[in-house]
Amino acid sequence: MEEQETSLNPISLSDLLHRSRPLTAATFLPTGHPNPRPKPPATPPPSTPQTPKILKPFTHPSPLIGTLTLTTPPSCSNSSCLHFSDHSATVCCDILDFNLRIIGQTIRVLAWNFIPVKPHGGYLEIIRWSLEQIGTTKFNAFYLNSVLPTYEESIIPRCLVYGFLESVSPVTNVPCTANKTGTKNLNGFLAEVTVCECELCSSRDRVMSLDDLIGKHGKDHVFMKSKILYFCGSASVWYSVMSRLVGGTVLISGMKKKMVFLGEGKSLMMYVSTEKAVIHIPTSVTCKNGGNGRNNTVREKRMCSVYTGSVTAMYMQGMVVELDQKVLLLLTDNQLSMPHSLRIGAIVTVRNFHIEDPKFSWTKVTIFGSCYKTSVRVNVFSPIESGCYQVLQSRSLLRKFIESLQFSARLWVLLVVSSFRKKFAGVLSEIEILGSKHMEGLVQKYSSSSLPLSVFRFRHGVLSEYCLHDLCGCGKEIDYSYPKLVVPISNLIAKCEDMYIKSLYEMNRQYSSIVCGGKSHDQPFRKILKSDDMNIVLLGNLRVSEHSGKLQLNDATGSIDVVIPDLPSVWSVKDIYEINEFDVVMEGYPRNLEHLELLNNDPFACGNIFNHFHFPRRKNINVNIYIHCYMKDAKSRNHILRPSVDMEENLTELESGLFHLLLLVHKFPVQQKFPGDYVVSNNSSVYAEAIILPWNLAHHNEEIDLIDSYVDKNRCDLSCHREIPCTIDCRVHCEKSTVNSGNLLNCTTAAKKVLLEFKSDSFSKFESLRIGGYYLTKHRYKGLVCTAKGSDKVSVDSKSHLWNVSFSADEAGPTIARSVDIYLHLSPDHLSFLEVKLRELKQDLIIRPINSIKVTSAPTQSGAFGVNLPTGNLLSVQGRVMAVHRSDQIRPFTRAHPRIVPRVSSVCIHVLVDRNIVKISSSLSEHSYPTGFGPGVKANFHRVLLTAGGGVFKLTPASFIEIDSMIIDDDQCSNEHDVTSVVGTSTSLLTGPAVLISEMTHFSDRKKMRLHCKVVSVYILVMEKTSEFLQSSKVNSCVNFPLAGFIMDDGSSSCCCWADTETAMTLLGSHKWSPHKRTKRSSYKPDKKLEACGYSMSRMSDILNQNGRVVIKNHGSVFDSCLDAAVSVDSDGALKEFDEQFLKALILQACCSNTWNVVGSVLDSEALKQIEEQLQRLDMMMKLPFVNIWASEVSHLDTLNEGRKLLQQLLKSE
């Protein structure tokens, strides 16, 4: 075999450099060779987006013949490199099975990898080699200064260092003191050797035989005492050799003891190299990786000796090396020198590192922190086409800042660097993000403000930290609260989608539905994630989306809808906002998500933060994800990293001048012209209706005289007949506020309406406006108000300002709400006068909300083309949204072009208004609904059409929905429990505490309580046909219960349960509100019970059509279900006997049903008074000896589930 190998034609280095492509000649190794070509990892690391490429093999065996040297070429600054040269070129190299004998010798490289290095270099990995000429020269040692071979048979013990090489320091340049020449700088490195203190090693004989020291007595040595060696001057070239000998025994003679000054009054005795210093070649075995038997476990100070693993990934230009997909090795010190062969796919041994478990809440990771004692040795070269490890020479302020931190803080800052570079790519330059040698960047500014002082440590230099390692605090554990992860928005969305799908699996794919109009409709499942639970922070710009017209938090990786209830009117799209405390709300329909699978890796894993990998949104996933947060706390929720110029300009502009007062009457929703078009484009506009009030604000009286000289009276009349002194408190700046005196002027002009047009560049101003809010705009020539004439349309550009203003009395004191920009503090008398005047002005101009539900049915008139077009009045509706469901339908104009008449979704919205459910139908596009709209929100529906012929609520293209408040509570919004509200809300029935009826009088102060009880009798039922005012337009007929009272009992006592229509129908069995449970493989089948309920509703509707209103009274015992029930009707005729029997059977069915889960509250005196008035009209008295409750939610009791929960509570209490 050797003869065959030596006969092969060699290849030159210049040929490899000319090819300039990764190659390998390791495929021709014999199978039994101890270092065969390693196989690539079976599966790529999860953070690697593509399968790695394997080095292209050479077509035939091609050895290299050359010389291995220690001299460093000018082109390479890596002190750990060996160098291989032939007649044509010289390259850096690394070698397996390293032996001191091959230094300066000609070797034949039989198996190798070649990696090109830009611009014109290359790196050689020597896998298998042999000496070209064996035994020609007799030597067993090398001089350290000259690297010349020599032969030594004896040594002087007092100049001898023989022991186990623990570590070596990086090569550093230090000042040294000479006798005559003064001070000069020398390169050098340190080495720690543990020596033996046996009698032979402690001998003071002048001469000792090498065979006596390392021959027959070699096994008796115990290396325990530590000594420091200093290789300085010309001897520093041996760093590449000594770094490969770490973990083995070394024998060096000719050293000299010297006291070395370390600085700060500290010095240390160490062995310094001299001209006669010699390193001896071991005579027994070659120096391979190994241990001395005592350093293979974790030592004191969390210092670990050795770890061997595979390099699975490299991040941040080699500062972070991932080992075995579970460990992160930090190589952040600038002076550390790692071999070029440290590549992805290589098997390495790491020695002398600090292990830390940072306990990050967002991911689990183990950190190996490197110090000046750390060394990395490559055991098996990588077969993958990955770049060589390059030593970073950057000494920027950010690099120095990272080196001054504790290890877990270093990793966090590196994650911030990666996140910021991804988040602000294309927005900020690299210098603005990372800084330079003389300027701090955004990363350093943000990190400095987020990290505590305890994580910073003073660096003492290589000599001090290596020799006095434990005293310098390297690797010292610090107990502190870890800062939050700055996460790119794309990673956040992928994480939320994954957690949402995981929640569906955990709830066994259960979902809830409601019945409306005899049909079952799925209800969305809501999952809420708290920022404190995820321990993350969001940074980005706020903007209005071009696709949806909604407010979003945006960075270069993606965007997410955001709901900010206290959004100020002066927010800027230029600012970078930090959101520390927020809620991520996820809503979707479980039935549509059953096909989705979980991700294979965690989007919050460090590798996925470091990698520039964008998580693609899952196709066909209908999950609405948005952020809910506040800006009222500037320190934690609205931390602007860059000072905003707009804020300063706002504050300066408000310091003086005259301002007009406006009242915002209405906002028109963003309209999408055609399906697929951008909602917000350069040519699009949105509109708002406002009233210019006859009130102006002036900082000083002389301002009127200054402006009056050049203002056209036809455009703006500034004359006034009353002045009200006030204090102006401006708070448009997050850190500054001004307080000035001024006057509120009552002008002689009349109030006038104006239509405000907002172009695409001023959509941000439109987003912060609130209907019914008061706003100030500055008076200027051709300004917003001065150009308005009559009801003209006025354009609001990006330079126009609308400041939100609030009025308060002096005694009220300042408020801290961030949603108001200016506070006008008036005296109580002046404030009362102003309130009266403003109330008179807007009394007939603003649509009032409804207070009661009293309408009569009327036929709808036909419009053009035989189509029923709605006509009626516009009004506002305020209430709590209880349920939203939809069903697709085609508009009547089916022959029109499909682009003009698209398929739309008809939506039915259930709104709770004064304990009555109002149903609002809508056929608007999804862009017309605000972000977060759904069950659990308290909303204002402005300009809702109440049709004249039929009393139906409809949303029109002019309708606008404003959200007042949202339920951001997972316990209140989750559908994970086996219950559903009677009105189909997402509110769980477990919101109230479980009590007995007998205990309700003791808990009357609580709003909601939960009962487990049965219907034992019906006290009063009033049935009538429902007006279309209370139902969607798709339902032909239904039954309404304006008054319904049931006697409930739980064994401890009884109560009278008063209910609305939906609850009464549920208790009577006319609606089945239990959630439909289906697993992933189950298919939908019609519910027979639901069909039976449809028959009951139809039968009751027929009875009401024939007889009008039906009243069922219980004149007997309250515990007799239907024996003494009296049934009466409003019509002249009597109720048919079979209809009466049907109604009594319905009551009997309710009394024979299962136990109910009822959530209700004790009625107050006002509610009881209203019920008594209704009973008196029916000739009944309110004399029940029971507590009266109002039932807000009911469902069938799952006894098995309740028993399981009770058992869990008992186990926890133990």
Side-chain angles (χ1 to χ4, degrees):
M1 179 63 67
E2 292 292 336
E3 294 179 358
Q4 182 181 356
E5 291 176 348
T6 56
S7 64
L8 298 176
N9 294 326
I11 189 173
S12 65
L13 287 177
S14 60
D15 190 7
L16 293 178
L17 293 172
H18 180 72
R19 293 172 185 263
S20 187
R21 60 181 301 178
L23 295 170
T24 180
T27 55
F28 302 100
L29 281 175
T31 307
H33 191 270
N35 289 301
R37 182 169 182 255
K39 297 181 179 180
T43 56
S47 56
T48 303
Q50 298 178 352
T51 303
K53 295 182 179 180
I54 306 302
L55 290 172
K56 185 177 181 179
F58 229 53
T59 56
H60 57 277
S62 302
L64 290 165
I65 299 176
T67 305
L68 196 73
T69 61
L70 305 184
T71 55
T72 303
S75 60
C76 181
S77 59
N78 192 341
S79 57
S80 66
C81 282
L82 296 170
H83 300 90
F84 183 82
S85 59
D86 63 2
H87 64 280
S88 63
T90 300
V91 295
C92 298
C93 73
D94 197 358
I95 185 171
L96 301 182
D97 298 332
F98 175 73
N99 193 316
L100 285 174
R101 293 182 181 277
I102 67 174
I103 298 176
Q105 303 299 311
T106 302
I107 62 174
R108 176 178 288 267
V109 181
L110 305 174
W112 46 265
N113 297 331
F114 178 78
I115 309 296
V117 179
K118 294 180 180 181
H120 305 293
Y123 186 71
L124 185 67
E125 296 175 342
I126 301 174
I127 301 173
R128 186 182 178 189
W129 55 271
S130 65
L131 283 172
E132 186 70 6
Q133 298 176 356
I134 303 176
T136 57
T137 303
K138 184 178 181 181
F139 64 92
N140 65 353
F142 289 91
Y143 285 104
L144 293 180
N145 279 8
S146 60
V147 201
L148 295 177
T150 183
Y151 184 79
E152 300 282 346
E153 292 185 352
S154 60
I155 55 177
I156 301 175
R158 60 185 177 87
C159 299
L160 172 71
V161 177
Y162 172 55
F164 186 85
L165 182 60
E166 296 279 0
S167 62
V168 294
S169 76
V171 177
T172 183
N173 189 273
V174 296
C176 297
T177 303
N179 294 330
K180 298 181 180 180
T181 59
T183 302
K184 63 178 182 179
N185 295 334
L186 291 177
N187 286 335
F189 69 92
L190 302 171
E192 180 184 5
V193 179
T194 51
V195 300
C196 179
E197 294 184 298
C198 66
E199 183 178 354
L200 181 62
C201 293
S202 304
S203 174
R204 290 294 181 265
D205 295 337
R206 293 187 176 182
V207 179
M208 179 184 298
S209 171
L210 286 175
D211 185 63
D212 292 338
L213 182 63
I214 61 177
K216 58 183 179 180
H217 301 290
K219 296 182 180 180
D220 298 332
H221 293 292
V222 179
F223 304 122
M224 295 296 294
K225 186 176 181 179
S226 177
K227 291 187 177 181
I228 301 297
L229 282 65
Y230 185 30
F231 295 76
C232 62
S234 301
S236 63
V237 74
W238 283 88
Y239 177 81
S240 58
V241 173
M242 299 300 293
S243 62
R244 286 167 171 80
L245 298 180
V246 174
T249 55
V250 293
L251 175 58
I252 302 175
S253 61
M255 304 293 281
K256 186 177 182 180
K257 282 187 177 183
K258 282 188 177 182
M259 184 66 69
V260 177
F261 177 71
L262 302 178
E264 298 181 0
K266 297 179 182 178
S267 58
L268 184 68
M269 182 67 69
M270 61 180 64
Y271 290 82
V272 182
S273 61
T274 64
E275 295 181 357
K276 296 182 180 181
V278 172
I279 180 171
H280 297 265
I281 300 175
T283 58
S284 54
V285 295
T286 58
C287 296
K288 297 183 179 180
N289 293 327
N292 62 353
R294 73 177 182 90
N295 288 324
N296 293 327
T297 57
V298 178
R299 298 187 295 177
E300 65 277 2
K301 303 292 183 183
R302 303 285 290 180
M303 187 77 171
C304 197
S305 173
V306 59
Y307 179 88
T308 300
S310 175
V311 178
T312 52
M314 299 184 72
Y315 313 111
M316 302 300 294
Q317 297 179 309
M319 286 191 287
V320 181
V321 179
E322 183 185 78
L323 302 176
D324 298 331
Q325 301 182 7
K326 61 181 180 180
V327 173
L328 294 182
L329 172 63
L330 301 185
L331 302 174
T332 51
D333 284 313
N334 183 69
Q335 293 180 290
L336 287 178
S337 183
M338 295 292 121
H340 290 310
S341 55
L342 182 60
R343 303 189 296 117
I344 297 176
I347 298 177
V348 300
T349 294
V350 186
R351 295 181 181 276
N352 306 316
F353 54 88
H354 300 269
I355 184 170
E356 279 193 15
D357 181 10
K359 296 182 175 60
F360 293 143
S361 59
W362 65 81
T363 189
K364 184 177 182 181
V365 65
T366 300
I367 296 177
F368 286 175
S370 62
C371 61
Y372 291 141
K373 289 191 174 185
T374 302
S375 64
V376 177
R377 173 70 186 275
V378 178
N379 303 329
V380 179
F381 297 132
S382 170
I384 299 174
E385 283 190 16
S386 55
C388 293
Y389 185 90
Q390 298 292 330
V391 179
L392 294 177
Q393 300 298 328
S394 171
R395 291 301 295 163
S396 64
L397 293 178
L398 178 60
R399 187 68 182 269
K400 295 178 181 179
F401 173 78
I402 294 175
E403 292 177 1
S404 67
L405 300 174
Q406 181 252 3
F407 292 122
S408 60
R410 294 187 191 186
L411 176 59
W412 179 81
V413 174
L414 292 175
L415 291 171
V416 172
V417 171
S418 180
S419 293
F420 276 37
R421 294 181 69 180
K422 288 193 283 187
K423 292 173 76 68
F424 304 120
V427 179
L428 303 176
S429 65
E430 285 284 300
I431 294 181
E432 287 181 296
I433 297 174
L434 304 180
S436 62
K437 292 183 179 180
H438 308 289
M439 181 186 72
E440 290 185 357
L442 187 61
V443 171
Q444 187 171 349
K445 292 178 181 179
Y446 177 79
S447 301
S448 301
S449 62
S450 302
L451 293 170
L453 293 177
S454 59
V455 303
F456 293 86
R457 64 186 183 94
F458 181 76
R459 301 304 298 267
H460 302 271
V462 176
L463 291 180
S464 297
E465 292 190 14
Y466 186 86
C467 299
L468 307 174
H469 184 268
D470 296 339
L471 298 179
C472 293
C474 184
K476 181 181 179 181
E477 288 192 26
I478 300 173
D479 186 15
Y480 72 100
S481 178
Y482 295 101
K484 297 181 178 181
L485 173 67
V486 182
V487 59
I489 292 179
S490 60
N491 295 62
L492 174 66
I493 293 175
K495 179 71 172 182
C496 292
E497 290 179 352
D498 206 46
M499 296 188 69
Y500 186 82
I501 297 172
K502 184 178 180 181
S503 299
L504 296 182
Y505 279 100
E506 291 176 350
M507 63 180 288
N508 196 23
R509 301 294 176 100
Q510 297 180 13
Y511 53 91
S512 301
S513 62
I514 67 169
V515 177
C516 181
K519 294 182 180 180
S520 177
H521 302 275
D522 290 346
Q523 284 295 281
F525 166 69
R526 177 181 292 182
K527 177 70 177 178
I528 298 174
L529 301 177
K530 302 287 185 180
S531 59
D532 292 339
D533 297 335
M534 295 185 289
N535 201 24
I536 63 173
V537 62
L538 298 178
L539 283 110
N541 302 95
L542 291 175
R543 70 168 189 179
V544 178
S545 171
E546 295 179 348
H547 298 275
S548 63
K550 297 180 180 179
L551 184 65
Q552 291 184 335
L553 184 70
N554 173 72
D555 64 15
T557 68
S559 57
I560 186 171
D561 292 344
V562 59
V563 177
I564 307 177
D566 58 346
L567 181 69
S569 60
V570 293
W571 67 276
S572 173
V573 295
K574 301 177 184 179
D575 289 335
I576 300 175
Y577 290 93
E578 177 189 10
I579 305 177
N580 281 294
E581 296 182 15
F582 57 90
D583 300 292
V584 182
V585 185
M586 300 167 288
E587 294 178 329
Y589 291 87
R591 189 204 301 270
N592 301 329
L593 306 173
E594 294 179 346
H595 63 284
L596 298 176
E597 301 294 337
L598 296 173
L599 292 174
N600 295 326
N601 52 354
D602 183 8
F604 286 178
C606 294
N608 289 326
I609 300 296
F610 284 129
N611 268 344
H612 287 260
F613 176 68
H614 295 274
F615 287 90
R617 295 292 299 267
R618 293 180 174 92
K619 295 182 179 180
N620 301 323
I621 179 170
N622 188 19
V623 178
N624 183 28
I625 303 176
Y626 60 91
I627 299 294
H628 184 274
C629 60
Y630 291 91
M631 285 191 174
K632 58 185 178 181
D633 190 349
K635 292 183 179 180
S636 61
R637 294 184 175 91
N638 186 20
H639 181 209
I640 304 176
L641 298 177
R642 296 187 301 172
S644 172
V645 178
D646 293 345
M647 291 294 185
E648 296 287 351
E649 293 178 353
N650 267 280
L651 195 60
T652 303
E653 192 170 359
L654 284 171
E655 288 179 351
S656 62
L658 188 72
F659 301 86
H660 298 285
L661 183 64
L662 280 74
L663 171 63
L664 192 73
V665 178
H666 187 66
K667 293 172 66 176
F668 296 92
V670 180
Q671 299 296 330
Q672 188 180 30
K673 295 181 179 179
F674 298 106
D677 290 349
Y678 284 174
V679 174
V680 179
S681 63
N682 294 331
N683 300 324
S684 61
S685 299
V686 289
Y687 300 91
E689 185 179 320
I691 300 175
I692 302 176
L693 300 173
W695 291 87
N696 295 330
L697 176 67
H699 276 265
H700 305 286
N701 290 334
E702 58 267 20
E703 292 291 340
I704 299 179
D705 300 331
L706 294 175
I707 300 173
D708 189 51
S709 60
Y710 61 85
V711 171
D712 186 358
K713 295 289 184 178
N714 295 327
R715 289 181 176 268
C716 188
D717 186 4
L718 299 179
S719 58
C720 62
H721 55 76
R722 186 183 181 93
E723 297 182 7
I724 299 177
C726 62
T727 301
I728 307 170
D729 185 0
C730 301
R731 303 186 184 187
V732 297
H733 199 284
C734 61
E735 298 177 354
K736 300 178 182 178
S737 62
T738 60
V739 179
N740 299 315
S741 60
N743 293 316
L744 197 60
L745 311 177
N746 189 195
C747 302
T748 58
T749 57
K752 56 183 177 181
K753 281 188 178 182
V754 63
L755 187 65
L756 305 178
E757 180 185 13
F758 296 82
K759 295 291 187 180
S760 58
D761 60 346
S762 59
F763 270 27
S764 60
K765 303 180 184 300
F766 176 84
E767 185 68 28
S768 58
L769 298 179
R770 298 284 293 180
I771 297 177
Y774 293 95
Y775 295 89
L776 289 175
T777 182
K778 194 160 188 177
H779 172 83
R780 56 168 58 91
Y781 182 66
K782 292 185 179 180
L784 190 149
V785 172
C786 298
T787 57
K789 195 172 184 180
S791 299
D792 290 346
K793 181 177 66 175
V794 178
S795 179
V796 181
D797 56 25
S798 59
K799 296 182 180 180
S800 302
H801 295 294
L802 292 170
W803 295 282
N804 183 250
V805 63
S806 177
F807 305 95
S808 65
D810 293 337
E811 289 80 0
T815 177
I816 60 173
R818 301 289 296 183
S819 58
V820 177
D821 306 318
I822 303 173
Y823 295 91
L824 297 183
H825 300 292
L826 312 173
S827 65
D829 294 339
H830 287 150
L831 181 61
S832 299
F833 172 78
L834 179 64
E835 289 177 347
V836 172
K837 290 295 182 180
L838 293 178
R839 190 182 305 116
E840 293 174 353
L841 287 172
K842 67 180 182 180
Q843 184 174 5
D844 300 327
L845 297 176
I846 299 181
I847 300 174
R848 293 183 177 181
I850 63 173
N851 296 320
S852 60
I853 303 175
K854 295 180 181 179
V855 296
T856 58
S857 301
T860 304
Q861 298 179 356
S862 298
F865 307 104
V867 178
N868 292 332
L869 298 178
T871 59
N873 298 321
L874 295 176
L875 70 163
S876 294
V877 177
Q878 298 177 356
R880 178 79 64 183
V881 177
M882 310 304 289
V884 179
H885 60 84
R886 63 179 62 188
S887 60
D888 293 335
Q889 62 182 12
I890 301 294
R891 284 183 178 174
F893 304 98
T894 55
R895 296 183 180 180
H897 194 276
R899 178 173 172 83
I900 300 177
V901 185
R903 184 180 181 89
V904 297
S905 178
S906 179
V907 177
C908 180
I909 306 170
H910 298 239
V911 185
L912 180 63
V913 181
D914 293 337
R915 295 186 177 180
N916 293 281
I917 299 298
V918 176
K919 295 181 182 179
I920 304 175
S921 63
S922 170
S923 297
L924 304 180
S925 65
E926 60 180 4
H927 303 297
S928 302
Y929 303 98
T931 301
F933 180 77
V937 304
K938 186 178 180 181
N940 291 329
F941 299 84
H942 298 280
R943 297 195 177 177
V944 181
L945 178 64
L946 176 60
T947 59
V952 177
F953 278 125
K954 289 181 178 293
L955 294 181
T956 69
S959 302
F960 193 85
I961 304 174
E962 273 189 340
I963 297 178
D964 285 341
S965 62
M966 304 176 65
I967 299 179
I968 304 298
D969 190 342
D970 216 7
D971 293 333
Q972 299 182 34
C973 301
S974 176
N975 287 109
E976 295 177 4
H977 307 291
D978 194 15
V979 292
T980 306
S981 167
V982 294
V983 291
T985 76
S986 294
T987 306
S988 169
L989 278 171
L990 300 182
T991 55
V995 298
L996 297 174
I997 295 177
S998 60
E999 300 174 336
M1000 292 194 71
T1001 54
H1002 304 290
F1003 298 97
S1004 59
D1005 57 328
R1006 296 191 177 181
K1007 293 184 178 180
K1008 285 189 177 182
M1009 290 165 281
R1010 182 161 49 95
L1011 305 174
H1012 297 161
C1013 51
K1014 298 182 65 175
V1015 177
V1016 295
S1017 181
V1018 172
Y1019 181 62
I1020 180 71
L1021 277 180
V1022 179
M1023 303 166 54
E1024 61 184 19
K1025 185 179 179 181
T1026 304
S1027 168
E1028 293 186 6
F1029 178 82
L1030 295 175
Q1031 59 185 350
S1032 69
S1033 59
K1034 297 175 291 183
V1035 181
N1036 295 325
S1037 62
C1038 195
V1039 179
N1040 181 36
F1041 291 86
L1043 188 63
F1046 297 85
I1047 305 300
M1048 313 290 288
D1049 190 275
D1050 66 353
S1052 67
S1053 183
S1054 300
C1055 67
C1056 187
C1057 178
W1058 300 94
D1060 59 9
T1061 298
E1062 301 290 355
T1063 306
M1065 295 178 72
T1066 303
L1067 294 175
L1068 291 173
S1070 298
H1071 275 181
K1072 296 297 181 182
W1073 294 95
S1074 299
H1076 301 281
K1077 304 177 188 177
R1078 299 186 183 94
T1079 60
K1080 183 176 180 180
R1081 298 182 178 179
S1082 65
S1083 60
Y1084 176 76
K1085 296 181 180 179
D1087 194 342
K1088 294 183 179 180
K1089 293 183 178 180
L1090 191 59
E1091 294 177 356
C1093 297
Y1095 168 75
S1096 300
M1097 294 171 60
S1098 177
R1099 180 72 180 276
M1100 286 188 290
S1101 180
D1102 293 339
I1103 295 174
L1104 293 175
N1105 288 334
Q1106 297 175 8
N1107 301 277
R1109 189 173 66 164
V1110 177
V1111 179
I1112 304 176
K1113 305 177 185 178
N1114 192 337
H1115 292 291
S1117 172
V1118 294
F1119 296 104
D1120 293 335
S1121 58
C1122 59
L1123 297 179
D1124 294 327
V1127 183
S1128 61
V1129 296
D1130 282 351
S1131 60
D1132 296 335
L1135 185 66
K1136 297 179 181 179
E1137 183 178 356
F1138 59 88
D1139 288 337
E1140 182 177 350
Q1141 294 300 323
F1142 167 76
L1143 294 176
K1144 289 186 176 182
L1146 197 65
I1147 297 174
L1148 183 61
Q1149 175 186 338
C1151 298
C1152 298
S1153 62
N1154 298 328
T1155 304
W1156 292 97
N1157 219 333
V1158 179
V1159 171
S1161 57
V1162 178
L1163 291 177
D1164 55 20
S1165 58
E1166 184 65 26
L1168 287 174
K1169 183 178 179 181
Q1170 294 179 8
I1171 294 178
E1172 288 178 355
E1173 292 176 355
Q1174 296 185 53
L1175 290 176
Q1176 289 176 1
R1177 299 192 196 104
L1178 300 173
D1179 297 329
M1180 294 186 66
M1181 299 298 293
M1182 188 73 171
K1183 293 184 178 181
L1184 292 175
F1186 308 134
V1187 62
N1188 292 272
I1189 68 169
W1190 176 264
S1192 57
E1193 307 171 21
V1194 295
S1195 74
H1196 282 291
L1197 179 65
D1198 187 345
T1199 54
L1200 180 60
N1201 191 29
E1202 289 292 330
R1204 186 182 295 111
K1205 292 177 182 178
L1206 181 60
L1207 180 60
Q1208 292 175 354
Q1209 293 177 0
L1210 292 175
L1211 292 175
K1212 289 181 180 180
S1213 62
E1214 294 180 355

